[in-house]
Amino acid sequence: MRAIIEQFCNALREEEFFNEEAEEWQFPDGTACGLCTSSAIQVARKFDGLVVGYYSNDNSTAEIGLPNHDGHDFALINDRWLVDYWAWHVEGLVASPIFDLSNSADRREVTRLYGSTVKWKPLE
């Protein structure tokens, strides 16, 4: 599954285009690549996952958040795969967009970057 998600993320990166009228990079559906929610939706749609996230003020242990961002959204697939295209491709905060929550090393990294899972809420 990891390889399939990785292929999708690489393909999604290739599909981005610059919309001169909006002056931003966009996905084929017209949503902004620079918004973490937009990329999380792309991934969640493809893999029938969820978009989850947090407000930074409510999740102070998460390294991705304040002072630069009020909150952060990412995709969760099968309660196992955390996929964060935005942190990987847009911000360069992570070396890989995919974390396997069944892997102890990945779980430690996820806790550092995204804080406690009890702080994560599904996007409504």
Side-chain angles (χ1 to χ4, degrees), residues 52 74-77 80-84 97-101 110 114 120:
V52 296
F74 45 91
L76 189 60
I77 302 166
R80 177 176 175 182
W81 304 99
L82 186 154
V83 183
D84 195 344
I98 306 160
F99 296 94
D100 182 351
L101 299 177
V110 164
Y114 302 91
W120 303 352

Side-chain angles (χ1 to χ4, degrees), residues 11-27:
L12 188 59
R13 184 175 60 184
E14 296 300 318
E15 292 177 352
E16 291 181 13
F17 68 96
F18 188 76
N19 180 323
E20 292 193 21
E21 186 175 313
E23 297 182 349
E24 68 182 8
W25 285 90
Q26 295 182 346
F27 294 113

